[in-house]
Coordinates of all heavy atoms in Angstrom, one line a residue:
C13 N -13.4 -6.6 -16.3 CA -12.0 -6.3 -16.6 C -11.6 -5.0 -15.9 O -10.4 -4.9 -15.4 CB -11.8 -6.1 -18.1 SG -11.9 -7.6 -19.1
Y14 N -12.5 -4.0 -15.9 CA -12.2 -2.8 -15.2 C -12.0 -3.0 -13.7 O -11.1 -2.5 -13.1 CB -13.3 -1.8 -15.5 CG -13.4 -0.6 -14.5 CD1 -12.4 0.4 -14.7 CD2 -14.3 -0.5 -13.5 CE1 -12.5 1.5 -13.8 CE2 -14.4 0.6 -12.7 CZ -13.4 1.6 -12.8 OH -13.5 2.7 -11.9
E16 N -11.3 -5.7 -12.0 CA -10.2 -6.6 -11.6 C -8.9 -5.9 -11.8 O -7.9 -6.0 -11.0 CB -10.2 -7.9 -12.4 CG -11.3 -8.8 -12.0 CD -11.4 -10.1 -12.9 OE1 -10.6 -10.1 -13.8 OE2 -12.3 -10.9 -12.6
N17 N -8.7 -5.1 -12.9 CA -7.4 -4.5 -13.2 C -7.2 -3.1 -12.7 O -6.1 -2.7 -12.3 CB -7.2 -4.5 -14.7 CG -7.0 -5.9 -15.3 OD1 -6.0 -6.5 -15.1 ND2 -8.0 -6.4 -16.0
I18 N -8.3 -2.3 -12.6 CA -8.1 -0.9 -12.2 C -8.4 -0.8 -10.7 O -7.5 -0.5 -9.9 CB -9.1 0.0 -12.9 CG1 -8.8 -0.1 -14.5 CG2 -8.8 1.5 -12.5 CD1 -7.4 0.1 -14.9
G21 N -6.6 -3.6 -8.8 CA -5.2 -3.3 -9.1 C -4.7 -2.2 -8.1 O -3.6 -2.4 -7.5
L22 N -5.4 -1.2 -8.0 CA -5.0 -0.1 -7.1 C -5.0 -0.6 -5.6 O -4.1 -0.3 -4.8 CB -6.0 1.1 -7.2 CG -5.8 2.0 -8.4 CD1 -7.0 2.9 -8.6 CD2 -4.5 2.8 -8.4
V25 N -1.8 -3.1 -5.2 CA -0.5 -2.4 -5.2 C -0.3 -1.9 -3.8 O 0.8 -1.9 -3.3 CB -0.5 -1.4 -6.2 CG1 0.8 -0.5 -6.0 CG2 -0.4 -2.0 -7.6
I81 N -13.8 2.9 -21.0 CA -12.7 1.9 -21.0 C -11.5 2.5 -21.6 O -10.4 2.4 -21.0 CB -13.2 0.6 -21.8 CG1 -14.3 -0.1 -21.0 CG2 -12.0 -0.3 -22.0 CD1 -14.0 -0.6 -19.7
E82 N -11.7 3.2 -22.7 CA -10.5 3.8 -23.4 C -9.8 4.9 -22.6 O -8.6 5.1 -22.7 CB -11.0 4.3 -24.8 CG -9.9 4.6 -25.8 CD -10.5 5.0 -27.1 OE1 -11.2 6.1 -27.1 OE2 -10.4 4.3 -28.1
H84 N -9.0 4.9 -19.6 CA -8.1 4.3 -18.7 C -6.8 3.8 -19.5 O -5.9 3.3 -18.8 CB -8.7 3.2 -17.9 CG -9.7 3.7 -16.9 ND1 -11.0 3.9 -17.3 CD2 -9.6 4.0 -15.6 CE1 -11.7 4.4 -16.3 NE2 -10.9 4.4 -15.2
T85 N -6.8 3.9 -20.8 CA -5.6 3.5 -21.5 C -4.9 4.6 -22.2 O -3.9 4.4 -22.9 CB -6.0 2.4 -22.6 OG1 -6.8 2.9 -23.5 CG2 -6.6 1.2 -21.9
S86 N -5.4 5.8 -22.0 CA -4.8 7.0 -22.6 C -3.4 7.2 -22.1 O -3.1 6.8 -21.0 CB -5.7 8.2 -22.4 OG -5.7 8.6 -21.0
F89 N -3.5 9.1 -18.7 CA -3.9 8.3 -17.6 C -2.7 7.3 -17.2 O -2.4 7.1 -16.0 CB -5.1 7.4 -17.9 CG -5.6 6.7 -16.7 CD1 -6.5 7.2 -15.8 CD2 -5.2 5.3 -16.5 CE1 -6.9 6.5 -14.7 CE2 -5.6 4.6 -15.4 CZ -6.5 5.2 -14.5
R90 N -2.1 6.7 -18.2 CA -1.0 5.8 -17.9 C 0.2 6.5 -17.3 O 0.8 5.9 -16.4 CB -0.6 5.1 -19.3 CG -1.6 4.0 -19.7 CD -1.1 3.4 -21.0 NE -1.2 4.2 -22.2 CZ -0.2 4.6 -22.9 NH1 1.0 4.3 -22.6 NH2 -0.4 5.4 -24.0
N91 N 0.4 7.7 -17.7 CA 1.5 8.4 -17.0 C 1.2 8.8 -15.6 O 2.0 8.9 -14.7 CB 1.8 9.7 -17.8 CG 2.5 9.4 -19.1 OD1 3.1 8.3 -19.3 ND2 2.4 10.3 -20.1
H93 N -0.8 7.1 -13.6 CA -1.0 6.0 -12.8 C 0.0 4.9 -13.1 O -0.4 3.7 -13.2 CB -2.5 5.4 -12.9 CG -3.5 6.4 -12.4 ND1 -3.9 7.5 -13.2 CD2 -4.2 6.4 -11.2 CE1 -4.8 8.2 -12.5 NE2 -5.0 7.6 -11.3
H94 N 1.2 5.3 -13.3 CA 2.3 4.3 -13.7 C 2.5 3.3 -12.7 O 3.1 2.2 -13.0 CB 3.6 5.1 -14.0 CG 4.1 5.9 -12.9 ND1 4.8 5.4 -11.9 CD2 3.9 7.2 -12.6 CE1 5.1 6.3 -11.0 NE2 4.6 7.5 -11.4
I95 N 2.1 3.5 -11.4 CA 2.3 2.5 -10.4 C 1.5 1.2 -10.7 O 1.9 0.1 -10.2 CB 1.8 3.1 -9.0 CG1 2.2 2.2 -7.9 CG2 0.3 3.2 -9.0 CD1 3.7 2.2 -7.6
I96 N 0.5 1.3 -11.6 CA -0.3 0.0 -11.9 C -0.1 -0.2 -13.4 O -1.0 -0.7 -14.1 CB -1.8 0.1 -11.6 CG1 -2.4 1.4 -12.2 CG2 -2.0 0.1 -10.1 CD1 -3.9 1.4 -12.2
W97 N 1.1 0.1 -14.0 CA 1.3 -0.1 -15.4 C 1.1 -1.6 -15.8 O 0.6 -1.9 -16.9 CB 2.6 0.4 -15.8 CG 3.8 -0.4 -15.4 CD1 4.5 -0.2 -14.2 CD2 4.5 -1.4 -16.1 NE1 5.6 -1.1 -14.2 CE2 5.5 -1.9 -15.3 CE3 4.2 -2.1 -17.3 CZ2 6.4 -2.9 -15.7 CZ3 5.1 -3.1 -17.7 CH2 6.1 -3.5 -16.9
R98 N 1.5 -2.5 -15.0 CA 1.3 -3.9 -15.3 C -0.2 -4.3 -15.4 O -0.6 -5.0 -16.4 CB 2.0 -4.8 -14.2 CG 3.5 -4.8 -14.2 CD 4.0 -5.7 -13.1 NE 5.4 -5.6 -12.9 CZ 6.3 -6.3 -13.6 NH1 5.9 -7.2 -14.5 NH2 7.6 -6.1 -13.4
Q99 N -0.9 -3.7 -14.5 CA -2.4 -4.0 -14.5 C -3.0 -3.3 -15.8 O -4.0 -3.9 -16.3 CB -3.0 -3.5 -13.3 CG -2.7 -4.3 -12.0 CD -1.4 -3.8 -11.3 OE1 -0.6 -3.1 -11.9 NE2 -1.3 -4.3 -10.1
L100 N -2.5 -2.2 -16.2 CA -3.1 -1.5 -17.4 C -2.8 -2.3 -18.6 O -3.6 -2.3 -19.5 CB -2.5 -0.1 -17.4 CG -3.0 0.9 -16.3 CD1 -2.2 2.2 -16.5 CD2 -4.5 1.1 -16.4
Q101 N -1.6 -2.9 -18.7 CA -1.3 -3.8 -19.8 C -2.2 -5.0 -19.9 O -2.7 -5.3 -20.9 CB 0.2 -4.2 -19.7 CG 1.2 -3.2 -20.1 CD 2.6 -3.8 -20.1 OE1 3.0 -4.4 -19.1 NE2 3.4 -3.5 -21.1
Q102 N -2.4 -5.5 -18.7 CA -3.3 -6.7 -18.6 C -4.7 -6.3 -18.9 O -5.5 -7.1 -19.5 CB -3.2 -7.3 -17.2 CG -4.0 -8.6 -17.0 CD -3.4 -9.7 -17.8 OE1 -2.2 -9.8 -17.9 NE2 -4.3 -10.6 -18.3
F103 N -5.1 -5.1 -18.5 CA -6.4 -4.5 -18.8 C -6.8 -4.6 -20.3 O -7.8 -5.1 -20.7 CB -6.5 -3.1 -18.2 CG -7.8 -2.4 -18.4 CD1 -9.0 -3.0 -18.0 CD2 -7.9 -1.2 -19.0 CE1 -10.2 -2.4 -18.2 CE2 -9.1 -0.5 -19.2 CZ -10.3 -1.1 -18.8
E104 N -5.9 -4.1 -21.1 CA -6.1 -4.1 -22.6 C -6.2 -5.5 -23.1 O -7.0 -5.8 -23.9 CB -5.0 -3.3 -23.3 CG -5.0 -1.8 -23.1 CD -4.1 -1.1 -24.0 OE1 -3.9 -1.5 -25.2 OE2 -3.5 -0.1 -23.6
Y105 N -5.3 -6.3 -22.6 CA -5.3 -7.7 -23.0 C -6.6 -8.4 -22.7 O -7.2 -9.1 -23.5 CB -4.1 -8.5 -22.4 CG -4.1 -10.0 -22.7 CD1 -3.5 -10.4 -23.9 CD2 -4.6 -10.9 -21.8 CE1 -3.5 -11.8 -24.2 CE2 -4.6 -12.2 -22.1 CZ -4.0 -12.7 -23.3 OH -4.0 -14.0 -23.6
D106 N -7.0 -8.2 -21.4 CA -8.3 -8.9 -21.0 C -9.5 -8.3 -21.7 O -10.4 -9.1 -22.1 CB -8.5 -8.6 -19.5 CG -7.5 -9.4 -18.6 OD1 -6.8 -10.3 -19.2 OD2 -7.4 -9.1 -17.4
C107 N -9.5 -7.0 -22.0 CA -10.6 -6.4 -22.8 C -10.7 -7.0 -24.2 O -11.8 -7.3 -24.7 CB -10.5 -4.9 -22.8 SG -10.9 -4.0 -21.3
N108 N -9.5 -7.2 -24.8 CA -9.5 -7.8 -26.1 C -10.0 -9.2 -26.1 O -10.7 -9.6 -27.1 CB -8.1 -7.7 -26.7 CG -7.8 -6.4 -27.5 OD1 -8.8 -5.7 -27.9 ND2 -6.6 -6.2 -27.8
K109 N -9.7 -9.9 -25.1 CA -10.2 -11.3 -25.0 C -11.8 -11.3 -24.8 O -12.5 -12.1 -25.4 CB -9.6 -12.0 -23.8 CG -8.2 -12.4 -24.0 CD -8.1 -13.4 -25.1 CE -6.7 -13.9 -25.3 NZ -6.6 -14.9 -26.5
I110 N -12.3 -10.3 -24.1 CA -13.8 -10.2 -23.9 C -14.4 -9.8 -25.2 O -15.4 -10.4 -25.7 CB -14.1 -9.2 -22.8 CG1 -13.7 -9.8 -21.4 CG2 -15.6 -9.0 -22.8 CD1 -14.3 -11.1 -21.0
F120 N -8.6 -3.4 -29.1 CA -7.6 -2.4 -28.7 C -6.4 -2.5 -29.7 O -5.9 -3.6 -29.9 CB -7.1 -2.7 -27.3 CG -7.8 -1.8 -26.2 CD1 -8.6 -2.4 -25.3 CD2 -7.6 -0.5 -26.2 CE1 -9.2 -1.7 -24.3 CE2 -8.2 0.3 -25.2 CZ -9.0 -0.3 -24.2
I121 N -6.0 -1.4 -30.2 CA -4.8 -1.3 -31.0 C -4.0 -0.1 -30.5 O -4.5 1.0 -30.6 CB -5.0 -1.2 -32.5 CG1 -5.8 -2.4 -33.0 CG2 -3.7 -1.0 -33.3 CD1 -6.1 -2.3 -34.5
E122 N -2.9 -0.3 -29.9 CA -2.1 0.8 -29.4 C -2.9 1.7 -28.5 O -2.9 3.0 -28.7 CB -1.4 1.6 -30.5 CG -0.3 0.8 -31.2 CD 0.9 0.6 -30.3 OE1 1.5 1.5 -29.8 OE2 1.2 -0.6 -30.1
H123 N -3.6 1.2 -27.5 CA -4.3 1.9 -26.5 C -5.6 2.6 -27.0 O -6.2 3.3 -26.2 CB -3.4 2.9 -25.8 CG -2.1 2.5 -25.5 ND1 -1.8 1.3 -24.8 CD2 -0.8 2.9 -25.9 CE1 -0.5 1.1 -24.7 NE2 0.1 2.1 -25.4
I124 N -6.0 2.3 -28.2 CA -7.2 2.9 -28.8 C -8.2 1.8 -29.2 O -7.8 0.8 -29.8 CB -6.9 3.8 -30.0 CG1 -6.0 4.9 -29.6 CG2 -8.2 4.3 -30.6 CD1 -5.5 5.8 -30.7
K138 N -0.8 -3.2 -35.9 CA 0.1 -3.2 -34.7 C 1.5 -3.3 -35.1 O 2.4 -2.5 -34.5 CB -0.3 -4.4 -33.8 CG -1.5 -4.2 -32.9 CD -1.7 -5.4 -32.0 CE -2.8 -5.1 -31.0 NZ -2.9 -6.3 -30.1
S142 N 4.0 -0.3 -33.9 CA 4.7 -0.6 -32.6 C 6.2 -1.0 -32.8 O 6.9 -1.2 -31.8 CB 4.0 -1.7 -31.9 OG 4.0 -2.9 -32.6
Q144 N 9.8 -0.6 -32.6 CA 10.6 0.4 -31.9 C 12.1 0.2 -32.0 O 12.9 1.0 -31.5 CB 10.2 0.4 -30.4 CG 8.8 0.7 -30.1 CD 8.4 2.1 -30.3 OE1 9.3 3.0 -30.4 NE2 7.1 2.4 -30.5

Side-chain angles (χ1 to χ4, degrees):
C13 290
Y14 165 74
E16 290 175 358
N17 289 289
I18 308 300
L22 286 167
V25 168
I81 294 297
E82 198 176 65
H84 292 83
T85 63
S86 67
F89 185 88
R90 286 182 287 117
N91 289 339
H93 295 79
H94 56 85
I95 192 71
I96 57 167
W97 71 270
R98 291 179 186 274
Q99 289 87 344
L100 293 175
Q101 285 183 313
Q102 187 67 34
F103 179 54
E104 288 191 36
Y105 176 83
D106 290 348
C107 284
N108 270 345
K109 285 298 183 183
I110 295 297
F120 263 114
I121 300 178
E122 288 296 301
H123 318 304
I124 299 173
K138 278 186 174 181
S142 63
Q144 299 290 340

